[in-house]
Amino acid sequence: MKKYLFIALTMLCLTACQTEQKPETLSLDQKSALRTCLMNESLAAVQNGTAFTADLSELAQSIAKSCVKKQALQNLGLDDESAAWAQNILSSVATNK
């Protein structure tokens, strides 16, 4: 049952993402990264039970938007920069305690 739900959720995510992004604007690496994110987020939703309690269409849209945002930040190089900022903030907080 979980396997079928996971497959359905993944297909919904891929479909939702396809309507958000024009496929011709993404490179093969970007498409692969986006699909990987969609698969990971969908699997996480199945494992934590969210997929069983939420509307699948809304969950698929949420996962797709999250992955598109993550990929956009990665493409801009902000993922590494924001990780460095977060580390600096955590270091500052830890030294002030």
Side-chain angles (χ1 to χ4, degrees):
M1 176 68 177
K2 286 184 181 181
K3 185 177 182 181
Y4 295 116
L5 183 58
F6 175 71
I7 292 170
L9 184 61
T10 301
M11 295 307 294
L12 281 172
C13 286
L14 292 174
T15 303
C17 185
Q18 224 171 11
T19 59
E20 294 285 326
Q21 290 283 349
K22 294 180 180 178
E24 64 271 9
T25 62
L26 296 176
S27 71
L28 187 56
D29 288 340
Q30 290 170 327
K31 287 179 183 180
S32 177
L34 185 57
R35 285 189 178 115
T36 299
C37 178
L38 292 169
M39 292 292 288
N40 290 339
E41 293 293 323
S42 298
L43 181 58
V46 169
Q47 288 176 340
N48 69 20
T50 308
F52 303 112
T53 59
D55 176 35
L56 286 182
S57 180
E58 289 177 16
L59 182 59
Q61 287 291 328
S62 173
I63 289 172
K65 287 179 183 178
S66 173
C67 288
V68 167
K69 287 178 186 177
K70 285 179 188 177
Q71 185 170 3
L73 291 174
Q74 287 173 348
N75 291 343
L76 293 173
L78 292 177
D79 59 329
D80 293 332
E81 189 174 354
S82 63
W85 291 343
Q87 185 173 358
N88 289 338
I89 291 168
L90 289 171
S91 295
S92 297
V93 170
T95 58
N96 288 333
K97 274 193 158 185

